[in-house]
Amino acid sequence: MRQLYTLVAGGKVEGCSLERFEDATGLKLTDINGLRDDLPPITSFLNRLLALTIDLQNILFDGSDPGRWALPVTVPPTKAAFCCVSRRAHGAGISRRKGGKREISA
């Protein structure tokens, strides 16, 4: 999450300024010192994600750099239920990988 928050706060997500992100999600990423130390947890982000328009979801997850979300995110099988936000329309979701770890694919 910190990676996404850093990209948004730094203006690196084309089509989603910091102001647009904060207005749409209600999550505050910055304070007078820059990026907050106590950033919102993933559970807060996922709850707010459901209220975003599909267009804004696509901007956040696809962006102009298709490799941006290619970094594997592994979760224990018991925590996989929290990662059920699937991007099936764009060919992404959770898949089982060798060694029993799960990975969110782009």
Side-chain angles (χ1 to χ4, degrees), residues 8-106:
V8 171
K12 304 288 186 194
V13 179
E14 188 176 331
C16 185
S17 67
L18 174 62
E19 183 179 4
R20 181 176 183 192
F21 179 87
E22 289 182 339
D23 287 346
T25 63
L27 300 174
K28 294 294 179 192
L29 302 184
T30 58
D31 58 21
I32 59 171
N33 299 317
L35 196 63
R36 290 177 41 187
D37 290 330
D38 59 336
L39 290 168
I42 190 169
T43 52
S44 296
F45 174 73
L46 291 176
N47 285 332
R48 308 297 171 86
L49 177 70
L50 298 173
L52 299 180
T53 64
I54 297 298
D55 288 337
L56 187 51
Q57 289 179 28
N58 287 339
I59 288 169
L60 290 172
F61 287 101
D62 298 333
S64 58
D65 180 5
R68 186 171 71 211
W69 290 97
L71 297 173
V73 178
T74 57
V75 294
T78 57
K79 302 284 184 184
F82 293 108
C83 296
C84 290
V85 177
S86 177
R87 308 289 296 164
R88 294 189 193 279
H90 298 284
I94 297 176
S95 60
R96 190 171 246 334
R97 295 291 180 167
K98 197 173 190 177
K101 293 185 178 181
R102 295 177 189 266
E103 182 176 284
I104 298 175
S105 58

